[in-house]
Amino acid sequence: MRKLVSGISVLFVALWLAAPAAAQVESKHRGFWISFGLGGGWNVSQNVGVAQETKPGGAGFIRLGGTLTQRLLLGGEAIAWGTEVDGATIGRGNGTVTVMFYPSVETGVFLKGGVGGSTFTTSFTSGNTTTTTTDNGFGATAGVGWDVRLGRNFYLTPTVDFLYQRVTDVSNAIVLITVGATWH
């Protein structure tokens, strides 16, 4: 996980250094858009469902929707995180209706937020038997990202997200760092 975080950090620095060149080409949002990506993250609530510890894990997302204006996109997002703790596989995810706001279209930086549902999944394997429990509840996602234009309709999109989840009496929070490919 350290290598993943180091790699993502190097990517963010490289993108930051490339910002002046990228800012010269204005982002153009058109109609339908789609984005998907991978990365890593941490459960920061100390209640992953098995052991009372915070453990890093892998993350992924898919987002798609439509363009309302050059500064406002509306869509849906499925974003998830998973890890293994004490022989159990832990999965957490949010499915939300998401709004992305670009304060300045020229820079490609955006803020995003969404509300919807969340899922907690835990699987234990003992011998040949796997027991899986799944609980659903409320989910909200907030984040900040940057569309770095690489081609006419193609962008590299690093994002930092915060996931909030509430299932039954349990609240959970996850921080994710992902890098995606986006087509506008």
Side-chain angles (χ1 to χ4, degrees), residues 132-164:
T132 301
T133 60
T134 302
D135 293 310
N136 300 307
F138 171 78
T141 304
V144 60
W146 184 20
D147 285 337
V148 179
R149 190 173 187 171
L150 299 180
R152 184 172 159 246
N153 299 4
F154 181 67
Y155 301 81
L156 184 67
T157 308
T159 309
V160 176
D161 287 300
F162 174 79
L163 279 61
Y164 173 78

PDB file of all heavy atoms in Angstrom, residues 132-164:
ATOM      1  N   THR A 132     -21.266 -14.692   4.237  1.00  0.00           N
ATOM      2  CA  THR A 132     -21.253 -13.297   3.826  1.00  0.00           C
ATOM      3  C   THR A 132     -22.453 -12.571   4.422  1.00  0.00           C
ATOM      4  O   THR A 132     -23.578 -13.069   4.360  1.00  0.00           O
ATOM      5  CB  THR A 132     -21.313 -13.179   2.285  1.00  0.00           C
ATOM      6  OG1 THR A 132     -20.200 -13.868   1.723  1.00  0.00           O
ATOM      7  CG2 THR A 132     -21.275 -11.720   1.845  1.00  0.00           C
ATOM      8  N   THR A 133     -22.188 -11.415   5.022  1.00  0.00           N
ATOM      9  CA  THR A 133     -23.276 -10.565   5.509  1.00  0.00           C
ATOM     10  C   THR A 133     -23.219  -9.242   4.761  1.00  0.00           C
ATOM     11  O   THR A 133     -22.141  -8.706   4.500  1.00  0.00           O
ATOM     12  CB  THR A 133     -23.170 -10.290   7.022  1.00  0.00           C
ATOM     13  OG1 THR A 133     -21.933  -9.641   7.287  1.00  0.00           O
ATOM     14  CG2 THR A 133     -23.247 -11.570   7.821  1.00  0.00           C
ATOM     15  N   THR A 134     -24.381  -8.740   4.414  1.00  0.00           N
ATOM     16  CA  THR A 134     -24.489  -7.471   3.707  1.00  0.00           C
ATOM     17  C   THR A 134     -25.561  -6.628   4.370  1.00  0.00           C
ATOM     18  O   THR A 134     -26.659  -7.111   4.636  1.00  0.00           O
ATOM     19  CB  THR A 134     -24.849  -7.694   2.219  1.00  0.00           C
ATOM     20  OG1 THR A 134     -23.847  -8.511   1.613  1.00  0.00           O
ATOM     21  CG2 THR A 134     -24.944  -6.376   1.478  1.00  0.00           C
ATOM     22  N   ASP A 135     -25.231  -5.374   4.666  1.00  0.00           N
ATOM     23  CA  ASP A 135     -26.173  -4.415   5.229  1.00  0.00           C
ATOM     24  C   ASP A 135     -26.164  -3.172   4.353  1.00  0.00           C
ATOM     25  O   ASP A 135     -25.117  -2.757   3.856  1.00  0.00           O
ATOM     26  CB  ASP A 135     -25.783  -4.034   6.662  1.00  0.00           C
ATOM     27  CG  ASP A 135     -25.924  -5.193   7.619  1.00  0.00           C
ATOM     28  OD1 ASP A 135     -26.988  -5.821   7.610  1.00  0.00           O
ATOM     29  OD2 ASP A 135     -24.960  -5.465   8.368  1.00  0.00           O
ATOM     30  N   ASN A 136     -27.335  -2.579   4.169  1.00  0.00           N
ATOM     31  CA  ASN A 136     -27.470  -1.379   3.346  1.00  0.00           C
ATOM     32  C   ASN A 136     -27.988  -0.221   4.172  1.00  0.00           C
ATOM     33  O   ASN A 136     -28.708  -0.419   5.148  1.00  0.00           O
ATOM     34  CB  ASN A 136     -28.425  -1.648   2.178  1.00  0.00           C
ATOM     35  CG  ASN A 136     -27.936  -2.759   1.284  1.00  0.00           C
ATOM     36  OD1 ASN A 136     -26.811  -2.727   0.823  1.00  0.00           O
ATOM     37  ND2 ASN A 136     -28.770  -3.753   1.066  1.00  0.00           N
ATOM     38  N   GLY A 137     -27.625   0.990   3.773  1.00  0.00           N
ATOM     39  CA  GLY A 137     -28.074   2.175   4.487  1.00  0.00           C
ATOM     40  C   GLY A 137     -27.846   3.433   3.684  1.00  0.00           C
ATOM     41  O   GLY A 137     -27.756   3.398   2.459  1.00  0.00           O
ATOM     42  N   PHE A 138     -27.702   4.547   4.378  1.00  0.00           N
ATOM     43  CA  PHE A 138     -27.490   5.857   3.768  1.00  0.00           C
ATOM     44  C   PHE A 138     -26.021   6.047   3.413  1.00  0.00           C
ATOM     45  O   PHE A 138     -25.132   5.635   4.158  1.00  0.00           O
ATOM     46  CB  PHE A 138     -27.925   6.964   4.745  1.00  0.00           C
ATOM     47  CG  PHE A 138     -27.558   8.342   4.297  1.00  0.00           C
ATOM     48  CD1 PHE A 138     -28.307   8.983   3.321  1.00  0.00           C
ATOM     49  CD2 PHE A 138     -26.459   8.993   4.826  1.00  0.00           C
ATOM     50  CE1 PHE A 138     -27.962  10.259   2.887  1.00  0.00           C
ATOM     51  CE2 PHE A 138     -26.105  10.271   4.408  1.00  0.00           C
ATOM     52  CZ  PHE A 138     -26.860  10.901   3.435  1.00  0.00           C
ATOM     53  N   GLY A 139     -25.752   6.701   2.293  1.00  0.00           N
ATOM     54  CA  GLY A 139     -24.381   7.011   1.900  1.00  0.00           C
ATOM     55  C   GLY A 139     -24.270   8.403   1.320  1.00  0.00           C
ATOM     56  O   GLY A 139     -25.188   8.874   0.638  1.00  0.00           O
ATOM     57  N   ALA A 140     -23.168   9.065   1.591  1.00  0.00           N
ATOM     58  CA  ALA A 140     -22.880  10.383   1.019  1.00  0.00           C
ATOM     59  C   ALA A 140     -21.405  10.417   0.645  1.00  0.00           C
ATOM     60  O   ALA A 140     -20.567   9.809   1.310  1.00  0.00           O
ATOM     61  CB  ALA A 140     -23.197  11.495   2.014  1.00  0.00           C
ATOM     62  N   THR A 141     -21.116  11.107  -0.453  1.00  0.00           N
ATOM     63  CA  THR A 141     -19.743  11.213  -0.932  1.00  0.00           C
ATOM     64  C   THR A 141     -19.427  12.674  -1.215  1.00  0.00           C
ATOM     65  O   THR A 141     -20.250  13.389  -1.778  1.00  0.00           O
ATOM     66  CB  THR A 141     -19.554  10.383  -2.229  1.00  0.00           C
ATOM     67  OG1 THR A 141     -19.940   9.041  -1.982  1.00  0.00           O
ATOM     68  CG2 THR A 141     -18.119  10.412  -2.694  1.00  0.00           C
ATOM     69  N   ALA A 142     -18.233  13.120  -0.816  1.00  0.00           N
ATOM     70  CA  ALA A 142     -17.741  14.459  -1.139  1.00  0.00           C
ATOM     71  C   ALA A 142     -16.314  14.319  -1.625  1.00  0.00           C
ATOM     72  O   ALA A 142     -15.574  13.444  -1.161  1.00  0.00           O
ATOM     73  CB  ALA A 142     -17.800  15.366   0.087  1.00  0.00           C
ATOM     74  N   GLY A 143     -15.925  15.171  -2.573  1.00  0.00           N
ATOM     75  CA  GLY A 143     -14.571  15.043  -3.074  1.00  0.00           C
ATOM     76  C   GLY A 143     -14.104  16.255  -3.842  1.00  0.00           C
ATOM     77  O   GLY A 143     -14.859  17.187  -4.121  1.00  0.00           O
ATOM     78  N   VAL A 144     -12.821  16.207  -4.190  1.00  0.00           N
ATOM     79  CA  VAL A 144     -12.200  17.227  -5.022  1.00  0.00           C
ATOM     80  C   VAL A 144     -11.340  16.484  -6.046  1.00  0.00           C
ATOM     81  O   VAL A 144     -10.717  15.465  -5.734  1.00  0.00           O
ATOM     82  CB  VAL A 144     -11.367  18.228  -4.192  1.00  0.00           C
ATOM     83  CG1 VAL A 144     -10.247  17.534  -3.439  1.00  0.00           C
ATOM     84  CG2 VAL A 144     -10.843  19.353  -5.054  1.00  0.00           C
ATOM     85  N   GLY A 145     -11.357  16.975  -7.277  1.00  0.00           N
ATOM     86  CA  GLY A 145     -10.587  16.321  -8.322  1.00  0.00           C
ATOM     87  C   GLY A 145     -10.101  17.314  -9.354  1.00  0.00           C
ATOM     88  O   GLY A 145     -10.352  18.524  -9.265  1.00  0.00           O
ATOM     89  N   TRP A 146      -9.427  16.766 -10.352  1.00  0.00           N
ATOM     90  CA  TRP A 146      -8.825  17.604 -11.367  1.00  0.00           C
ATOM     91  C   TRP A 146      -8.836  16.863 -12.685  1.00  0.00           C
ATOM     92  O   TRP A 146      -8.258  15.783 -12.796  1.00  0.00           O
ATOM     93  CB  TRP A 146      -7.407  17.930 -10.934  1.00  0.00           C
ATOM     94  CG  TRP A 146      -6.645  18.860 -11.811  1.00  0.00           C
ATOM     95  CD1 TRP A 146      -7.141  19.740 -12.737  1.00  0.00           C
ATOM     96  CD2 TRP A 146      -5.232  19.011 -11.843  1.00  0.00           C
ATOM     97  NE1 TRP A 146      -6.134  20.430 -13.331  1.00  0.00           N
ATOM     98  CE2 TRP A 146      -4.934  20.002 -12.796  1.00  0.00           C
ATOM     99  CE3 TRP A 146      -4.191  18.418 -11.157  1.00  0.00           C
ATOM    100  CZ2 TRP A 146      -3.645  20.404 -13.089  1.00  0.00           C
ATOM    101  CZ3 TRP A 146      -2.909  18.811 -11.440  1.00  0.00           C
ATOM    102  CH2 TRP A 146      -2.628  19.801 -12.382  1.00  0.00           C
ATOM    103  N   ASP A 147      -9.500  17.422 -13.687  1.00  0.00           N
ATOM    104  CA  ASP A 147      -9.472  16.876 -15.043  1.00  0.00           C
ATOM    105  C   ASP A 147      -8.269  17.464 -15.770  1.00  0.00           C
ATOM    106  O   ASP A 147      -8.243  18.654 -16.085  1.00  0.00           O
ATOM    107  CB  ASP A 147     -10.746  17.243 -15.820  1.00  0.00           C
ATOM    108  CG  ASP A 147     -11.951  16.437 -15.394  1.00  0.00           C
ATOM    109  OD1 ASP A 147     -11.776  15.338 -14.847  1.00  0.00           O
ATOM    110  OD2 ASP A 147     -13.080  16.902 -15.644  1.00  0.00           O
ATOM    111  N   VAL A 148      -7.253  16.636 -16.033  1.00  0.00           N
ATOM    112  CA  VAL A 148      -6.063  17.062 -16.761  1.00  0.00           C
ATOM    113  C   VAL A 148      -6.232  16.586 -18.200  1.00  0.00           C
ATOM    114  O   VAL A 148      -6.243  15.381 -18.471  1.00  0.00           O
ATOM    115  CB  VAL A 148      -4.778  16.471 -16.143  1.00  0.00           C
ATOM    116  CG1 VAL A 148      -3.555  16.901 -16.935  1.00  0.00           C
ATOM    117  CG2 VAL A 148      -4.662  16.887 -14.684  1.00  0.00           C
ATOM    118  N   ARG A 149      -6.398  17.531 -19.098  1.00  0.00           N
ATOM    119  CA  ARG A 149      -6.692  17.204 -20.492  1.00  0.00           C
ATOM    120  C   ARG A 149      -5.484  16.576 -21.169  1.00  0.00           C
ATOM    121  O   ARG A 149      -4.396  17.151 -21.196  1.00  0.00           O
ATOM    122  CB  ARG A 149      -7.126  18.465 -21.227  1.00  0.00           C
ATOM    123  CG  ARG A 149      -7.681  18.193 -22.585  1.00  0.00           C
ATOM    124  CD  ARG A 149      -8.242  19.458 -23.167  1.00  0.00           C
ATOM    125  NE  ARG A 149      -8.919  19.172 -24.412  1.00  0.00           N
ATOM    126  CZ  ARG A 149      -9.642  20.040 -25.046  1.00  0.00           C
ATOM    127  NH1 ARG A 149      -9.799  21.254 -24.565  1.00  0.00           N
ATOM    128  NH2 ARG A 149     -10.225  19.715 -26.177  1.00  0.00           N
ATOM    129  N   LEU A 150      -5.709  15.377 -21.744  1.00  0.00           N
ATOM    130  CA  LEU A 150      -4.656  14.690 -22.482  1.00  0.00           C
ATOM    131  C   LEU A 150      -4.964  14.627 -23.976  1.00  0.00           C
ATOM    132  O   LEU A 150      -4.078  14.387 -24.785  1.00  0.00           O
ATOM    133  CB  LEU A 150      -4.470  13.267 -21.950  1.00  0.00           C
ATOM    134  CG  LEU A 150      -4.052  13.143 -20.490  1.00  0.00           C
ATOM    135  CD1 LEU A 150      -3.914  11.684 -20.104  1.00  0.00           C
ATOM    136  CD2 LEU A 150      -2.752  13.892 -20.225  1.00  0.00           C
ATOM    137  N   GLY A 151      -6.221  14.805 -24.326  1.00  0.00           N
ATOM    138  CA  GLY A 151      -6.651  14.759 -25.720  1.00  0.00           C
ATOM    139  C   GLY A 151      -7.923  15.566 -25.883  1.00  0.00           C
ATOM    140  O   GLY A 151      -8.405  16.181 -24.931  1.00  0.00           O
ATOM    141  N   ARG A 152      -8.486  15.551 -27.086  1.00  0.00           N
ATOM    142  CA  ARG A 152      -9.675  16.367 -27.363  1.00  0.00           C
ATOM    143  C   ARG A 152     -10.811  16.104 -26.385  1.00  0.00           C
ATOM    144  O   ARG A 152     -11.403  17.016 -25.851  1.00  0.00           O
ATOM    145  CB  ARG A 152     -10.130  16.100 -28.797  1.00  0.00           C
ATOM    146  CG  ARG A 152     -11.282  16.959 -29.200  1.00  0.00           C
ATOM    147  CD  ARG A 152     -11.599  16.831 -30.682  1.00  0.00           C
ATOM    148  NE  ARG A 152     -12.966  17.262 -30.860  1.00  0.00           N
ATOM    149  CZ  ARG A 152     -13.939  16.485 -31.234  1.00  0.00           C
ATOM    150  NH1 ARG A 152     -13.710  15.225 -31.509  1.00  0.00           N
ATOM    151  NH2 ARG A 152     -15.154  16.956 -31.368  1.00  0.00           N
ATOM    152  N   ASN A 153     -11.131  14.826 -26.138  1.00  0.00           N
ATOM    153  CA  ASN A 153     -12.230  14.449 -25.237  1.00  0.00           C
ATOM    154  C   ASN A 153     -11.749  13.616 -24.054  1.00  0.00           C
ATOM    155  O   ASN A 153     -12.564  13.070 -23.332  1.00  0.00           O
ATOM    156  CB  ASN A 153     -13.278  13.612 -25.981  1.00  0.00           C
ATOM    157  CG  ASN A 153     -13.915  14.327 -27.117  1.00  0.00           C
ATOM    158  OD1 ASN A 153     -13.565  15.442 -27.457  1.00  0.00           O
ATOM    159  ND2 ASN A 153     -14.874  13.673 -27.731  1.00  0.00           N
ATOM    160  N   PHE A 154     -10.453  13.459 -23.866  1.00  0.00           N
ATOM    161  CA  PHE A 154      -9.909  12.518 -22.890  1.00  0.00           C
ATOM    162  C   PHE A 154      -9.123  13.250 -21.807  1.00  0.00           C
ATOM    163  O   PHE A 154      -8.309  14.126 -22.092  1.00  0.00           O
ATOM    164  CB  PHE A 154      -9.001  11.518 -23.601  1.00  0.00           C
ATOM    165  CG  PHE A 154      -8.402  10.500 -22.689  1.00  0.00           C
ATOM    166  CD1 PHE A 154      -9.191   9.556 -22.064  1.00  0.00           C
ATOM    167  CD2 PHE A 154      -7.045  10.495 -22.439  1.00  0.00           C
ATOM    168  CE1 PHE A 154      -8.641   8.614 -21.211  1.00  0.00           C
ATOM    169  CE2 PHE A 154      -6.488   9.547 -21.597  1.00  0.00           C
ATOM    170  CZ  PHE A 154      -7.288   8.616 -20.980  1.00  0.00           C
ATOM    171  N   TYR A 155      -9.385  12.847 -20.542  1.00  0.00           N
ATOM    172  CA  TYR A 155      -8.760  13.487 -19.381  1.00  0.00           C
ATOM    173  C   TYR A 155      -8.243  12.433 -18.402  1.00  0.00           C
ATOM    174  O   TYR A 155      -8.862  11.386 -18.225  1.00  0.00           O
ATOM    175  CB  TYR A 155      -9.783  14.355 -18.630  1.00  0.00           C
ATOM    176  CG  TYR A 155     -10.380  15.443 -19.473  1.00  0.00           C
ATOM    177  CD1 TYR A 155     -11.425  15.174 -20.339  1.00  0.00           C
ATOM    178  CD2 TYR A 155      -9.891  16.741 -19.394  1.00  0.00           C
ATOM    179  CE1 TYR A 155     -11.980  16.176 -21.121  1.00  0.00           C
ATOM    180  CE2 TYR A 155     -10.443  17.748 -20.164  1.00  0.00           C
ATOM    181  CZ  TYR A 155     -11.486  17.459 -21.032  1.00  0.00           C
ATOM    182  OH  TYR A 155     -12.028  18.445 -21.799  1.00  0.00           O
ATOM    183  N   LEU A 156      -7.143  12.734 -17.742  1.00  0.00           N
ATOM    184  CA  LEU A 156      -6.664  11.979 -16.590  1.00  0.00           C
ATOM    185  C   LEU A 156      -7.239  12.698 -15.371  1.00  0.00           C
ATOM    186  O   LEU A 156      -7.124  13.924 -15.257  1.00  0.00           O
ATOM    187  CB  LEU A 156      -5.138  11.985 -16.537  1.00  0.00           C
ATOM    188  CG  LEU A 156      -4.507  11.150 -15.434  1.00  0.00           C
ATOM    189  CD1 LEU A 156      -4.780   9.670 -15.695  1.00  0.00           C
ATOM    190  CD2 LEU A 156      -3.018  11.406 -15.386  1.00  0.00           C
ATOM    191  N   THR A 157      -7.888  11.942 -14.462  1.00  0.00           N
ATOM    192  CA  THR A 157      -8.629  12.578 -13.370  1.00  0.00           C
ATOM    193  C   THR A 157      -8.226  12.037 -12.006  1.00  0.00           C
ATOM    194  O   THR A 157      -8.786  11.044 -11.536  1.00  0.00           O
ATOM    195  CB  THR A 157     -10.152  12.383 -13.585  1.00  0.00           C
ATOM    196  OG1 THR A 157     -10.492  12.808 -14.898  1.00  0.00           O
ATOM    197  CG2 THR A 157     -10.953  13.172 -12.582  1.00  0.00           C
ATOM    198  N   PRO A 158      -7.245  12.659 -11.333  1.00  0.00           N
ATOM    199  CA  PRO A 158      -6.965  12.296  -9.945  1.00  0.00           C
ATOM    200  C   PRO A 158      -8.044  12.905  -9.038  1.00  0.00           C
ATOM    201  O   PRO A 158      -8.487  14.033  -9.264  1.00  0.00           O
ATOM    202  CB  PRO A 158      -5.592  12.910  -9.678  1.00  0.00           C
ATOM    203  CG  PRO A 158      -5.441  13.989 -10.683  1.00  0.00           C
ATOM    204  CD  PRO A 158      -6.299  13.638 -11.858  1.00  0.00           C
ATOM    205  N   THR A 159      -8.464  12.137  -8.034  1.00  0.00           N
ATOM    206  CA  THR A 159      -9.539  12.577  -7.147  1.00  0.00           C
ATOM    207  C   THR A 159      -9.259  12.122  -5.720  1.00  0.00           C
ATOM    208  O   THR A 159      -8.723  11.043  -5.497  1.00  0.00           O
ATOM    209  CB  THR A 159     -10.893  11.972  -7.596  1.00  0.00           C
ATOM    210  OG1 THR A 159     -11.072  12.218  -8.987  1.00  0.00           O
ATOM    211  CG2 THR A 159     -12.053  12.580  -6.843  1.00  0.00           C
ATOM    212  N   VAL A 160      -9.648  12.941  -4.750  1.00  0.00           N
ATOM    213  CA  VAL A 160      -9.646  12.566  -3.341  1.00  0.00           C
ATOM    214  C   VAL A 160     -11.101  12.609  -2.886  1.00  0.00           C
ATOM    215  O   VAL A 160     -11.781  13.623  -3.073  1.00  0.00           O
ATOM    216  CB  VAL A 160      -8.785  13.525  -2.488  1.00  0.00           C
ATOM    217  CG1 VAL A 160      -8.874  13.159  -1.015  1.00  0.00           C
ATOM    218  CG2 VAL A 160      -7.338  13.518  -2.966  1.00  0.00           C
ATOM    219  N   ASP A 161     -11.589  11.505  -2.326  1.00  0.00           N
ATOM    220  CA  ASP A 161     -12.986  11.398  -1.913  1.00  0.00           C
ATOM    221  C   ASP A 161     -13.104  11.054  -0.439  1.00  0.00           C
ATOM    222  O   ASP A 161     -12.265  10.342   0.116  1.00  0.00           O
ATOM    223  CB  ASP A 161     -13.699  10.288  -2.702  1.00  0.00           C
ATOM    224  CG  ASP A 161     -13.955  10.683  -4.131  1.00  0.00           C
ATOM    225  OD1 ASP A 161     -14.648  11.674  -4.347  1.00  0.00           O
ATOM    226  OD2 ASP A 161     -13.456   9.978  -5.044  1.00  0.00           O
ATOM    227  N   PHE A 162     -14.184  11.530   0.152  1.00  0.00           N
ATOM    228  CA  PHE A 162     -14.563  11.180   1.515  1.00  0.00           C
ATOM    229  C   PHE A 162     -15.933  10.514   1.433  1.00  0.00           C
ATOM    230  O   PHE A 162     -16.879  11.101   0.907  1.00  0.00           O
ATOM    231  CB  PHE A 162     -14.628  12.437   2.391  1.00  0.00           C
ATOM    232  CG  PHE A 162     -15.147  12.166   3.770  1.00  0.00           C
ATOM    233  CD1 PHE A 162     -14.322  11.625   4.741  1.00  0.00           C
ATOM    234  CD2 PHE A 162     -16.466  12.438   4.096  1.00  0.00           C
ATOM    235  CE1 PHE A 162     -14.799  11.366   6.019  1.00  0.00           C
ATOM    236  CE2 PHE A 162     -16.955  12.188   5.365  1.00  0.00           C
ATOM    237  CZ  PHE A 162     -16.116  11.647   6.329  1.00  0.00           C
ATOM    238  N   LEU A 163     -16.032   9.282   1.924  1.00  0.00           N
ATOM    239  CA  LEU A 163     -17.297   8.552   1.929  1.00  0.00           C
ATOM    240  C   LEU A 163     -17.828   8.482   3.352  1.00  0.00           C
ATOM    241  O   LEU A 163     -17.093   8.101   4.271  1.00  0.00           O
ATOM    242  CB  LEU A 163     -17.111   7.123   1.426  1.00  0.00           C
ATOM    243  CG  LEU A 163     -17.067   6.883  -0.075  1.00  0.00           C
ATOM    244  CD1 LEU A 163     -15.915   7.600  -0.725  1.00  0.00           C
ATOM    245  CD2 LEU A 163     -17.004   5.401  -0.366  1.00  0.00           C
ATOM    246  N   TYR A 164     -19.084   8.871   3.523  1.00  0.00           N
ATOM    247  CA  TYR A 164     -19.766   8.718   4.799  1.00  0.00           C
ATOM    248  C   TYR A 164     -20.848   7.662   4.605  1.00  0.00           C
ATOM    249  O   TYR A 164     -21.558   7.663   3.602  1.00  0.00           O
ATOM    250  CB  TYR A 164     -20.400  10.031   5.257  1.00  0.00           C
ATOM    251  CG  TYR A 164     -21.261   9.846   6.487  1.00  0.00           C
ATOM    252  CD1 TYR A 164     -20.685   9.732   7.745  1.00  0.00           C
ATOM    253  CD2 TYR A 164     -22.645   9.749   6.379  1.00  0.00           C
ATOM    254  CE1 TYR A 164     -21.466   9.533   8.871  1.00  0.00           C
ATOM    255  CE2 TYR A 164     -23.433   9.563   7.506  1.00  0.00           C
ATOM    256  CZ  TYR A 164     -22.845   9.447   8.751  1.00  0.00           C
ATOM    257  OH  TYR A 164     -23.621   9.251   9.867  1.00  0.00           O
TER     258      TYR A 164
END
